[in-house]
Amino acid sequence: MVAALLADLFETHRAHLLSVAYRLTGSVADAEDAVQESWLRLAVARQYEIEDLRAWLTTVVSRICLDRLRSATARREQYVGQWLPEPIVTSPLPSSMPDPLAAVVRKQDARFAALVVMDVLTPPQRVAFVLHDGFAVPFDEIAELLGVSTEAARALATRARKALAHLPEPVTDTEHNAAVQQLMEALARGDVDGVVAALHPDVRTIGDAGGTTATAMNVVAGVEKNARLWLGLRSRYGFDEPVQPEAGALEPVLVNGQLGLLVHERASWNGHPGTPQRVYGFTVTGGKVWGIYDLVNPAKLKGIRLPH
């Protein structure tokens, strides 16, 4: 096949492949690398033996991602603190240049809370669930990819579904935005009662710095502990003072398709410590904030895709 034609055909599948790879790995860097590697494998494959290019590429990307998932599982054993997926951070404003990864996170199983839960699945469970439930890949094909029986592949997906069943029901963007804004406004006022009212009884904060800087080392659970944490951070970093440097230090963004916050790097000032760049994502249920994710490990912030 002429190289230019093959490249054009591959590009028609890129968004799909990125969607598969990101949901499988929870990593922007791994997803992009897997898609690029699939192109390299296609370029040297016998194209005349490929009957369905999309299916062939999906299988190739899935195999690459399965290997990456297994190596990530090993890395997590030495990881400092909590482990979170890599977020996809985009502008709330429409873009004239659509990003394939921005389209990925419109699906509920690519929202941040779902990816957090999928990170506790075994690699085979995650592959079986994502490929079957997310992309309608038949279980016999999944079984061949995993090297198990069809029934075993089906059982792996069932166990994954049970783990995901504990997730809060998805809410509309309007409900999500209202709850996050309620919390942010209460924090800006230093309103203890307002912060408490904005938090779900089962709220938890999870921080991921990978040992690079300060964040919560353990999961912070419960309204009282979270209210104390966030009001304390407000005072610690000087956001309670009337005059603040760097007016654009806080930027509303979409974190996996839902309203979140980008904190730009800030130097220390007026006795307050500085902070590296960090991203806050949120999960909302019942009109209240149920999950807060503090992502500050620079290796996990490669998915910031904002116009410069």
Side-chain angles (χ1 to χ4, degrees), residues 23 104 107-111 114-115 118 129-130 133-135:
R23 280 188 253 182
V104 168
K107 301 279 189 175
Q108 291 296 343
D109 61 353
R111 295 294 169 92
L115 290 173
M118 283 201 284
F129 170 76
V130 169
D133 289 37
F135 298 97

Side-chain angles (χ1 to χ4, degrees), residues 16-204:
H16 163 73
L17 297 174
L18 279 170
S19 182
V20 171
Y22 179 68
R23 280 188 253 182
L24 284 176
T25 63
S27 164
V28 175
D30 282 349
E32 292 179 329
D33 286 350
V35 172
Q36 184 60 26
E37 188 172 338
S38 74
W39 159 247
L40 296 175
R41 293 190 187 186
L42 175 62
V44 297
R46 297 185 180 94
Q47 278 93 44
Y48 61 83
E49 294 180 355
I50 301 173
E51 295 181 4
D52 183 333
L53 181 58
R54 183 184 177 96
W56 187 91
L57 287 167
T58 300
T59 298
V60 169
V61 163
S62 299
R63 285 203 175 101
I64 296 167
C65 290
L66 180 59
D67 290 341
R68 290 177 181 268
L69 279 171
R70 286 171 170 154
S71 64
T73 300
R75 291 199 308 272
R76 286 177 64 168
E77 294 176 2
Q78 286 81 41
Y79 198 75
V80 177
Q82 304 298 310
W83 174 289
L84 288 171
E86 288 185 30
I88 294 175
V89 181
T90 54
S91 171
L93 303 175
S95 172
S96 59
M97 295 285 290
D99 185 330
L101 276 172
V104 168
V105 294
R106 295 190 189 119
K107 301 279 189 175
Q108 291 296 343
D109 61 353
R111 295 294 169 92
F112 209 75
L115 290 173
V116 171
V117 174
M118 283 201 284
D119 260 355
V120 306
L121 302 177
T122 66
Q125 286 172 351
R126 187 164 184 162
V127 168
F129 170 76
V130 169
L131 291 184
H132 183 267
D133 289 37
F135 298 97
V137 177
F139 278 122
D140 57 344
E141 294 180 21
I142 296 170
E144 183 179 356
L145 189 155
L146 294 175
V148 300
S149 69
T150 301
E151 284 307 310
R154 187 175 284 107
L156 288 167
T158 298
R159 284 195 287 273
R161 280 186 218 107
K162 287 180 179 177
L164 289 165
H166 299 294
L167 278 175
E169 286 293 319
V171 301
T172 65
D173 288 344
T174 299
E175 182 177 343
H176 177 94
N177 294 352
V180 172
Q181 287 170 349
Q182 180 185 350
L183 175 60
M184 292 297 101
E185 289 169 3
L187 282 170
R189 298 191 305 269
D191 178 356
V192 178
D193 291 339
V195 171
V196 168
L199 297 174
H200 189 275
D202 298 326
V203 65
R204 75 283 313 278

